[in-house]
Amino acid sequence: MMFLTSSILLGFVRLCFIILFLFYLNRKFINVNNQVSFLDFIVINWFRYASVLVVLIFTLVELNAYNLFNCFFVFTLLLFFDVIGIENLKRPRAFFNTHIKNSLLTFLRNIENEKSFWFWFSLKSTKFKKKNITLLLLTIIVGGITFVSRYYFVIYDNYSLSDAWIYDLNKVIQFDNQYWFTFELATDAELAMINFYGKVTDVSPEIALQVISILESTLLAIIIFWLLNKLSPSKYIAPLVASLSFALVYVLTPLNVYFLLKGNPIFLALTFALPAFVFYIKPDLIKINKLSFFISNLFIFTSIGLIDLFTLLILIPPFLVIGIIFTKFKYKLKNLLTLLSYAMALGVLYVVYNVACYYQGADLVDFVHSNLLSVSSYTYVPQLIFPYEQIIQYAQYSTFIGFFLVLPLIIFKKENWRATLIFYLYFNVLILLTFIKNEWIDIDMLNNSISVILPIIFGFTLAIIIRILNLVCYRWERFYPITLTIVLVSVVYASIYYQEKNINSLKVSDQTPKQILDAYDKISQTFFPHAYCVVNDPATQVISNNSHFFMNYDFFLDEYPRIDSINTKHKKEPNFLVKHPEYSLSKSVLVFILNEKSKDENNIFAENKHLQKQLVENLYLFRKRGRKVTLFYDSKLLKVYEIVNNPRESKISDLIF
């Protein structure tokens, strides 16, 4: 449970406070009179602005200008233009007279009336609708449960400090060096977002890499709740059950629990695609003009293409085709705008990737083909209680049953169930694709995406059942506070009780990598960057990039004592280190020492525990030379000792106080 106090949780809490603060600013200054629910605020603004952020990061990296300040500066300008509106910017005098002047007069009037201190921070006193409070609470509950659920599987994680993890972390860090398409051609926007998340929440890249999959799943659970809330007549129960099914049900989901902490580009791409699907079916759910609608979709599809080509080229087209057939006639114009934005995004991405392939000397077709296949797809799913094919078969049966149940409601009640039928048909098309033997369609990636669509289908079927029960039981759902509580407790209890045996049968992974990362996290929070050196296995050198100095065990044991001796001998000579910088020492040296309790399963660190005696002898040598050696980090598997070369010059607290 040591990770409960680590930056994984701290970064998530910071992100939540940032979102709540932005929601407050939105209600205070932008949507003053319009009561926007917290759920709508998250999803709509993710749809409109997160995709812009992806394209912005890509552009800044290509211009060698990527950093947090430039991102905020450009993004603030874009947000300003969007909030003010192009039309108002064309008539600045009229806008000033009608908006700015009135706001200033109101501000001065409030000062003259000697309003209280809290008045300036309070929201406009409009009656906050009961449903908005319910949606706020359910959004927090769904997000919190999903985060905790995914977080629990840290104990089974085999991804951290694996070869794949080291490879991904190196790419995350290289964005700070303005590298995108520099070493290889790949859709790396997910890793770029990891880099940005680390900067915004002030956590290290390795912590950001660990938490991104949890954040993707949390956001997806919230979006699944929102999708069913908007497209089904059940506003709370079916959306809640569907989102919690995605968050909690692992015995029916084809996800490898041993690699749940590995980022999933399909999941991130679907956080953009699912809201786009909703606005494609019901464009009037988003209150923007046609031009803004077109531009938003253009950014959405472009960002998806930068994140994951499989989602862009395989998952999205079937939905666009099915949707335009079954949506209402009044939505056809915006459907065509969406199709046009998709085609234009394909054109933009063709130019981007074609230019990248040209400079890399690669073939564009080979690049696209390689990104439609997953070379790191982990399909081992030991926790399933049924064969996956059987689970999919049951899901298909539920769509057929749902179709026959909803047919009388459409014919006799004249109710609108278009969205349900569209998703039913889309789900079955995806299943059909899994039977097509084609080198351009990766079955494992299809199954990965179906794990997100599956709870949505279940939610629509449940919404149909609830609608029929409402007809029979005279709207029993009106007692939703009690019903929601019962449903929430029942789903959480059932997910724990009925999955406990399967989950407990999983093999707990080696905790050595997690404790190493926890130690690095504590170091990064304690020491000033580039003021210390870490002694560790060469596999961890990537963590040191742009952060601190690194020394491997062989150098520390064989060469460092000699360098330390020479440095000590000539320490009082003012120009010695200027002439011989190779004998300089870091202000602090942190030595990682694994003990005999660490497992031999991890090939990277298995041999390091046998160095324990030699490393301790070296530490004793430095203590005899007058160096202060202290125990900095202590756990069952790992100890980290600090060799202090320059007292009170390396820790953040020392430099500040």
Side-chain angles (χ1 to χ4, degrees):
M1 300 300 291
M2 63 178 180
F3 277 81
L4 287 175
T5 57
S6 75
S7 291
I8 292 180
L9 184 61
L10 184 62
F12 180 70
V13 171
R14 287 172 180 166
L15 181 63
C16 291
F17 275 111
I18 291 172
I19 294 172
L20 288 171
F21 179 67
L22 292 176
F23 178 63
Y24 167 79
L25 293 179
N26 179 272
R27 290 283 291 111
K28 179 71 175 176
F29 300 108
I30 300 176
N31 287 304
V32 179
N33 297 315
N34 298 327
Q35 292 194 359
V36 179
S37 70
F38 185 60
L39 179 63
D40 284 338
F41 171 80
I42 291 177
V43 179
I44 292 176
N45 285 285
W46 177 262
F47 171 81
R48 296 204 62 198
Y49 300 120
S51 57
V52 176
L53 179 62
V54 172
V55 177
L56 175 61
I57 293 174
F58 171 75
T59 305
L60 290 176
V61 172
E62 292 302 312
L63 294 175
N64 290 323
Y66 170 64
N67 55 53
L68 191 60
F69 174 80
N70 287 344
C71 280
F72 279 161
F73 178 75
V74 177
F75 195 78
T76 302
L77 287 179
L78 295 174
L79 185 63
F80 174 80
F81 291 145
D82 185 57
V83 172
I84 300 300
I86 302 298
E87 294 299 323
N88 290 325
L89 291 175
K90 291 179 181 178
R91 303 190 306 268
R93 185 183 297 273
F95 179 76
F96 177 82
N97 290 330
T98 57
H99 292 82
I100 305 298
K101 187 180 289 186
N102 289 338
S103 299
L104 289 173
L105 289 174
T106 303
F107 175 75
L108 294 173
R109 190 181 301 114
N110 290 329
I111 292 178
E112 291 177 354
N113 293 333
E114 297 181 350
K115 295 291 185 180
S116 65
F117 173 79
W118 293 110
F119 168 82
W120 300 102
F121 299 96
S122 63
L123 299 175
K124 188 175 180 180
S125 57
T126 57
K127 186 178 180 181
F128 203 61
K129 293 182 179 179
K130 190 176 182 181
K131 70 173 186 178
N132 286 348
I133 298 175
T134 304
L135 287 174
L136 172 64
L137 293 175
L138 289 177
T139 302
I140 295 172
I141 289 171
V142 168
I145 288 177
T146 308
F147 183 88
V148 172
S149 173
R150 292 295 194 266
Y151 190 84
Y152 171 78
F153 283 90
V154 168
I155 62 175
Y156 303 109
D157 171 47
N158 285 332
Y159 171 62
S160 299
L161 277 179
S162 64
D163 291 339
W165 185 92
I166 293 170
Y167 177 76
D168 289 341
L169 179 62
N170 184 54
K171 297 183 79 171
V172 170
I173 295 173
Q174 292 305 324
F175 287 107
D176 291 328
N177 298 327
Q178 316 301 324
Y179 291 154
W180 195 320
F181 299 144
T182 303
F183 298 116
E184 69 164 352
L185 289 172
T187 51
D188 288 334
E190 181 192 38
L191 300 177
M193 291 292 280
I194 294 172
N195 182 287
F196 182 78
Y197 168 79
K199 294 180 184 300
V200 169
T201 58
D202 192 29
V203 298
S204 61
E206 56 270 20
I207 295 298
L209 182 60
Q210 275 191 297
V211 80
I212 189 62
S213 65
I214 302 177
L215 295 179
E216 289 169 351
S217 297
T218 302
L219 182 57
L220 265 179
I222 292 173
I223 289 175
I224 289 172
F225 181 93
W226 174 84
L227 182 149
L228 285 156
N229 175 268
K230 295 300 181 183
L231 297 182
S232 75
S234 177
K235 300 304 177 185
Y236 304 118
I237 295 178
L240 179 63
V241 173
S243 58
L244 290 182
S245 297
F246 173 77
L248 296 173
V249 178
Y250 297 95
V251 294
L252 299 175
T253 306
L255 292 176
N256 189 331
V257 294
Y258 294 117
F259 284 87
L260 276 182
L261 287 190
K262 179 172 172 56
N264 194 328
I266 292 180
F267 278 18
L268 182 59
L270 285 175
T271 63
F272 294 105
L274 290 179
F277 289 171
V278 173
F279 297 133
Y280 187 65
I281 297 173
K282 288 187 176 181
D284 52 6
L285 288 175
I286 185 168
K287 307 299 182 182
I288 54 178
N289 58 41
K290 293 182 179 64
L291 178 60
S292 296
F293 184 79
F294 170 79
I295 293 175
S296 295
N297 277 292
L298 177 61
F299 276 106
I300 280 288
F301 294 129
T302 304
S303 62
I304 290 174
L306 292 172
I307 296 169
D308 181 57
L309 285 179
F310 185 84
T311 303
L312 181 74
L313 300 178
I314 304 298
L315 300 182
I316 291 179
F319 192 92
L320 297 181
V321 174
I322 295 169
I324 200 169
I325 296 173
F326 290 99
T327 53
K328 291 183 177 180
F329 181 78
K330 65 178 182 178
Y331 297 146
K332 298 302 180 186
L333 177 58
K334 286 197 172 180
N335 290 160
L336 292 174
L337 286 176
T338 303
L339 292 175
L340 180 60
S341 65
Y342 179 77
M344 188 169 291
L346 290 178
V348 171
L349 292 166
Y350 172 79
V351 172
V352 168
Y353 289 132
N354 198 35
V355 171
C357 288
Y358 173 79
Y359 281 103
Q360 291 283 354
D363 182 73
L364 180 61
V365 176
D366 291 340
F367 163 73
V368 173
H369 186 228
S370 64
N371 280 274
L372 292 178
L373 303 175
S374 176
V375 295
S376 59
S377 181
Y378 304 95
T379 55
Y380 178 58
V381 281
Q383 78 279 3
L384 294 183
I385 57 175
F386 302 115
Y388 179 62
E389 294 77 11
Q390 189 175 349
I391 295 172
I392 293 299
Q393 193 175 47
Y394 289 153
Q396 282 189 289
Y397 290 158
S398 74
T399 63
F400 301 149
I401 295 171
F403 174 77
F404 287 111
L405 288 176
V406 82
L407 210 54
L409 297 175
I410 297 174
I411 297 174
F412 299 110
K413 289 288 186 177
K414 307 299 181 184
E415 294 181 359
N416 180 12
W417 290 87
R418 293 172 185 264
T420 302
L421 298 179
I422 289 172
F423 270 93
Y424 276 176
L425 185 55
Y426 176 64
F427 175 73
N428 283 281
V429 168
L430 293 184
I431 300 304
L432 180 63
L433 289 177
T434 61
F435 291 97
I436 298 177
K437 305 299 181 182
N438 190 290
E439 61 178 6
W440 291 83
I441 299 177
D442 191 313
I443 306 303
D444 291 336
M445 296 180 75
L446 265 175
N447 292 337
N448 196 6
S449 62
I450 289 173
S451 67
V452 178
I453 306 299
L454 202 59
I456 296 176
I457 298 303
F458 178 63
F460 277 120
T461 303
L462 182 60
I464 296 171
I465 296 173
I466 291 173
R467 178 70 184 100
I468 294 173
L469 289 175
N470 283 338
L471 294 175
V472 177
C473 302
Y474 303 101
R475 297 193 59 79
W476 61 277
E477 199 182 16
R478 67 183 182 273
F479 303 106
Y480 71 87
I482 299 173
T483 309
L484 276 177
T485 304
I486 295 173
V487 169
L488 177 62
V489 173
S490 300
V491 172
V492 173
Y493 174 78
S495 66
I496 296 173
Y497 181 78
Y498 290 105
Q499 295 186 118
E500 185 177 12
K501 180 179 179 181
N502 293 71
I503 299 301
N504 288 341
S505 66
L506 298 173
K507 185 179 181 181
V508 176
S509 62
D510 182 7
Q511 298 302 298
T512 304
K514 301 171 189 59
Q515 294 193 10
I516 289 175
L517 290 175
D518 191 54
Y520 269 107
D521 181 39
K522 185 179 178 182
I523 290 171
S524 65
Q525 294 180 47
T526 305
F527 290 87
F528 199 75
H530 302 292
Y532 62 96
C533 177
V534 167
V535 179
N536 206 345
D537 188 275
T540 64
Q541 184 172 356
V542 63
I543 303 176
S544 304
N545 291 347
N546 299 339
S547 174
H548 54 265
F549 301 105
F550 179 81
M551 191 186 311
N552 61 46
Y553 286 125
D554 290 339
F555 189 88
F556 177 74
L557 292 173
D558 300 334
E559 299 294 332
Y560 185 73
R562 181 180 62 85
I563 294 174
D564 177 83
S565 176
I566 295 174
N567 178 280
T568 303
K569 182 178 179 180
H570 299 279
K571 192 172 185 178
K572 296 182 180 180
E573 298 179 22
N575 296 323
F576 178 77
L577 293 180
V578 176
K579 297 178 180 178
H580 302 281
E582 66 272 19
Y583 296 116
S584 299
L585 302 179
S586 296
K587 301 180 188 303
S588 288
V589 178
L590 293 146
V591 185
F592 281 64
I593 302 179
L594 294 175
N595 62 32
E596 296 295 332
K597 294 181 181 179
S598 60
K599 296 183 180 181
D600 288 332
E601 297 171 3
N602 193 299
N603 294 326
I604 298 178
F605 304 105
E607 296 182 0
N608 294 336
K609 67 179 184 179
H610 303 300
L611 298 174
Q612 180 181 7
K613 183 178 179 181
Q614 295 172 262
L615 292 171
V616 170
E617 288 176 353
N618 249 27
L619 293 176
Y620 180 72
L621 172 64
F622 295 126
R623 186 180 281 116
K624 286 178 61 177
R625 291 179 179 179
R627 298 283 191 265
K628 182 180 179 181
V629 179
T630 61
L631 181 62
F632 175 78
Y633 180 90
D634 188 16
S635 69
K636 293 181 179 180
L637 306 179
L638 172 70
K639 295 182 185 297
V640 179
Y641 289 90
E642 179 191 3
I643 304 173
V644 182
N645 293 321
N646 297 76
R648 303 185 62 82
E649 291 188 17
S650 58
K651 294 182 179 179
I652 296 173
S653 58
D654 294 336
L655 295 174
I656 293 177
F657 302 108

